[in-house]
Amino acid sequence: MEPPSSPAHRGHGHWQRLLLAVSLLTFWNPPTTARLTIESVPPKAAEGKDVLLLVHNLPGRLSGYAWYKGDRVDSSQQIATYVIRRKEITPGPVYSGRETIYPNGSLLFQNVTQKDTGYYTLQVITKILLSEVGTGQLRVYYSVAQPSIQASNTIVTEYKDAVVLTCLTRDAGISIQWFFNNQSLWLTERMKLAQDNSTLTIDSVRREDAGEYQCEVSNLVSSSKSDLLSLAVSSLVEKGGLHPLLRNEDPPCPLF
């Protein structure tokens, strides 16, 4: 869909007078079988992406549109107006330069930020000065940053040591998942996760715990994995000793 012509101020006074006349007359379209609605596409957007407030069930014989930030018609919060016949956009007090009104009334936001989160109101003006209003909601979420892993020790001894892996992230309101050798981690009876999944404790380690660990953080619109962390597990035999279960507790036989 091609955007309409660039913002223009020609005819701005006429359109503002038309909006004023509509507000003074306070005429509204009678209820119809299909009510004017506004849909956010996508419903949940990441910062830096484009979002369309898509309009459904427009009435017929339209003259133009006016978009407002907030849940009501407020001239001080007007984003822009659009005159259908001339295909002209006239910026309002809160126009940021990132908004485009299409001929079907839909409003495109480019490069959205979390400050764009909120309600938006569309006022539709017909050629006989009837007005209909619809309100929609825009939700913008931040993209999570890459986390990192911190280990209490990366070289441990089986049957003897415990290790604590911590997923470090500066983001809030996220979910954390752990991976082992590029697969989702299956917890054993020796493993314990913190309530928020931010730390993984293995006590005590076994040789099968050796490998590469990752954590992934995610929110409703994005996810990111940490770099790999390698855990090395040595045996007590290599350390010059044996696990108590493997020791021979019987005294050695005398040579003579």
Side-chain angles (χ1 to χ4, degrees):
M1 184 184 298
E2 293 295 327
S5 56
S6 58
H9 292 273
R10 184 163 52 89
H12 175 67
H14 169 74
W15 182 248
Q16 292 299 324
R17 288 193 296 271
L18 179 60
L19 289 176
L20 178 61
V22 170
S23 63
L24 291 175
L25 290 171
T26 61
F27 286 147
W28 303 92
N29 276 342
T32 60
T33 55
R35 185 181 180 87
L36 177 68
T37 58
I38 298 170
E39 174 192 8
S40 175
V41 181
K44 301 177 181 66
E47 279 188 313
K49 301 297 184 180
D50 295 349
V51 181
L52 183 69
L53 293 181
L54 182 62
V55 180
H56 297 284
N57 305 323
L58 284 170
R61 301 184 62 195
L62 299 179
S63 176
Y65 314 101
W67 274 98
Y68 304 86
K69 188 168 185 177
D71 58 359
R72 60 186 178 274
V73 173
D74 181 350
S75 59
S76 68
Q77 295 297 307
Q78 187 182 90
I79 299 171
T81 60
Y82 181 82
V83 180
I84 295 174
R85 181 172 58 86
R86 294 194 294 269
K87 297 183 179 180
E88 287 180 355
I89 297 176
T90 301
V94 297
Y95 180 75
S96 71
R98 298 177 294 113
E99 301 92 347
T100 299
I101 302 178
Y102 287 103
N104 66 356
S106 298
L107 179 66
L108 174 69
F109 281 88
Q110 294 178 301
N111 193 28
V112 293
T113 69
Q114 289 189 68
K115 291 182 179 179
D116 295 321
T117 294
Y119 289 96
Y120 291 85
T121 297
L122 171 65
Q123 184 181 28
V124 176
I125 310 299
T126 71
K127 292 182 179 179
I128 55 174
L129 296 186
L130 292 178
S131 171
E132 188 172 346
V133 173
T135 299
Q137 189 173 14
L138 175 61
R139 295 182 177 92
V140 182
Y141 298 84
Y142 62 88
S143 296
V144 295
Q146 184 183 27
S148 61
I149 295 182
Q150 183 180 69
S152 57
N153 200 343
T154 57
I155 303 176
V156 291
T157 303
E158 66 172 340
Y159 297 108
K160 176 183 177 183
D161 294 333
V163 64
V164 179
L165 304 178
T166 304
C167 187
L168 302 175
T169 175
R170 67 171 184 263
D171 295 317
I174 46 90
S175 299
I176 299 177
Q177 186 177 359
W178 288 88
F179 293 84
F180 176 60
N181 291 336
N182 294 316
Q183 301 291 329
S184 293
L185 176 68
W186 286 84
L187 293 178
T188 69
E189 70 280 359
R190 296 175 292 102
M191 297 179 178
K192 182 179 180 181
L193 283 173
Q195 187 172 2
D196 61 357
N197 285 6
S198 62
T199 62
L200 169 65
T201 302
I202 308 174
D203 187 14
S204 60
V205 294
R206 302 286 189 271
R207 277 197 165 186
E208 59 265 28
D209 300 323
E212 295 181 325
Y213 290 82
Q214 272 182 304
C215 68
E216 180 184 61
V217 298
S218 61
N219 62 10
L220 293 174
V221 296
S222 63
S223 64
S224 181
K225 281 185 178 181
S226 69
D227 293 332
L228 294 170
L229 181 141
S230 295
L231 179 66
V233 181
S234 61
S235 69
L236 281 172
V237 174
E238 295 168 349
K239 291 282 189 178
L242 290 174
H243 184 265
L245 295 177
L246 303 178
R247 293 175 185 164
N248 183 355
E249 298 296 343
D250 294 332
C253 296
L255 295 177
F256 302 100

